[in-house]
Amino acid sequence: MHNVSNVKEAWINYKNNSNNNVLQQCLVTGKVAPIARLHPKISGLYKGHPSGNVLVSFNKKAFESYNASKELRQGLNAPVSEYAAFAYGTALNSLLADESHKIIIGDVTVVFWAEQTPKIIRICSH
């Protein structure tokens, strides 16, 4: 998300008002907001699909929400807001694109970051 507060606020308002998605409580933010029907593709996972993988997906009619019209069912079983889906997708794709922010342990891709450079403390025995 952009660091200029006016730009950030305008983008959030645009996203919240630019679609016909169902308003529901987001599992990530806790706020009532438009729910993402589709989640972003995540690229760079170990043995992942070359075009990316979707972390949240319900691919059968039986998994769709029963509490909405046929057109709006998709995405309601794991209600994540458009904002949160965009944010986690952007963050993960950024970390996965930088080899210094990911490691593979077995068949698991692990991403990490730090706000500051870690301080190295030397412990010497005299």
Side-chain angles (χ1 to χ4, degrees):
M1 210 26 94
H2 201 282
N3 291 330
V4 177
S5 61
N6 290 344
V7 173
K8 183 177 177 179
E9 185 177 329
W11 178 252
I12 291 170
N13 286 336
Y14 169 76
K15 288 300 286 175
N16 285 344
N17 296 315
S18 65
N19 55 41
N20 296 322
N21 289 4
V22 173
L23 293 176
Q24 223 175 342
Q25 186 176 18
C26 173
L27 293 175
V28 177
T29 66
K31 296 178 181 177
V32 174
I35 299 302
R37 290 184 59 236
L38 301 174
H39 287 247
K41 288 190 175 184
I42 306 302
S43 300
L45 296 170
Y46 178 71
K47 291 191 177 181
H49 195 276
S51 68
N53 296 81
V54 179
L55 298 184
V56 178
S57 175
F58 299 97
N59 61 355
K60 302 281 185 192
K61 293 287 182 195
F63 306 141
E64 292 178 351
S65 177
Y66 63 89
N67 195 20
S69 67
K70 185 176 182 180
E71 302 81 41
L72 299 175
R73 290 180 183 165
Q74 192 173 20
L76 297 183
N77 283 352
V80 175
S81 67
E82 289 276 350
Y83 168 80
F86 172 79
Y88 87 71
T90 302
L92 279 174
N93 280 322
S94 177
L95 290 170
L96 288 164
D98 184 347
E99 293 296 322
S100 67
H101 289 288
K102 76 175 180 181
I103 58 172
I104 308 300
I105 301 173
D107 62 350
V108 176
T109 305
V110 178
V111 293
F112 53 89
W113 72 97
E115 290 184 18
Q116 298 178 351
T117 303
K119 294 179 183 175
I120 298 173
I121 300 172
R122 245 177 231 220
I123 301 175
C124 300
S125 59
H126 294 261

